[in-house]
Amino acid sequence: MDTDVHALRSLAQTYFDAAYEMDAEKFASIFHPSSSVTKVGDDGNVAVTPIAAWLAAVRNLRAPKEQGLERDDQIVSIDVERELALLKLKFQIPPRYFTDMLSCLKVNGAWKIVQKVMTSKP
């Protein structure tokens, strides 16, 4: 269990670094290829984006690091049950503040994000 928590903390750090650097390849390294990103869209409906489309959008975003924006990354919780884990993370890309719930599965001995559910506020 401690090994899994350590690996999931490392995954979370890679996630935070990828968000700060807006690095699609770094994100791709921790997401399962069949994963998706889910949020409530601007129209109030649930929006589900396949990971490939989400990564394509990330490639067109300006990195907070390039803008000199301050980081504030927080692992709120890690819950592990055998090959299943749920990470709750908070971070900022000013002017937005994000809360992400990452469902992870241990696939062939490596933890991968299989579902990202997110919300943000100004």
Side-chain angles (χ1 to χ4, degrees):
M1 178 83 134
D2 287 345
T3 304
D4 289 325
V5 171
H6 179 75
L8 289 160
R9 285 187 175 281
S10 178
L11 181 145
Q13 187 60 55
T14 299
Y15 186 87
F16 291 140
D17 292 345
Y20 190 64
E21 298 162 13
M22 219 36 74
D23 186 331
E25 278 43 69
K26 199 170 277 188
F27 273 128
S29 75
I30 56 174
F31 276 87
H32 190 275
S34 65
S35 62
S36 59
V37 176
T38 303
K39 66 177 185 173
V40 175
D42 295 335
D43 61 2
N45 293 314
V46 173
V48 180
T49 305
I51 195 63
W54 185 79
L55 291 171
V58 166
R59 288 182 182 95
N60 294 315
L61 296 174
R62 191 158 174 233
K65 182 178 182 177
E66 288 175 3
Q67 300 173 62
L69 298 175
E70 184 177 330
R71 287 180 77 161
D72 185 15
D73 307 330
Q74 180 185 3
I75 298 173
V76 177
S77 63
I78 298 175
D79 189 7
V80 181
E81 187 69 35
R82 293 185 305 278
E83 76 283 355
L84 170 68
L86 180 64
L87 280 68
K88 181 177 181 181
L89 308 178
K90 291 187 179 230
F91 63 100
Q92 66 181 20
I93 301 176
R96 302 215 59 84
Y97 297 84
F98 295 85
T99 301
D100 290 0
M101 302 288 271
L102 305 177
S103 294
C104 302
L105 290 174
K106 195 171 191 179
V107 181
N108 297 319
W111 287 101
K112 294 291 182 180
I113 300 166
V114 294
Q115 179 67 45
K116 168 182 168 163
V117 180
M118 61 172 287
T119 188
S120 65
K121 64 181 180 179

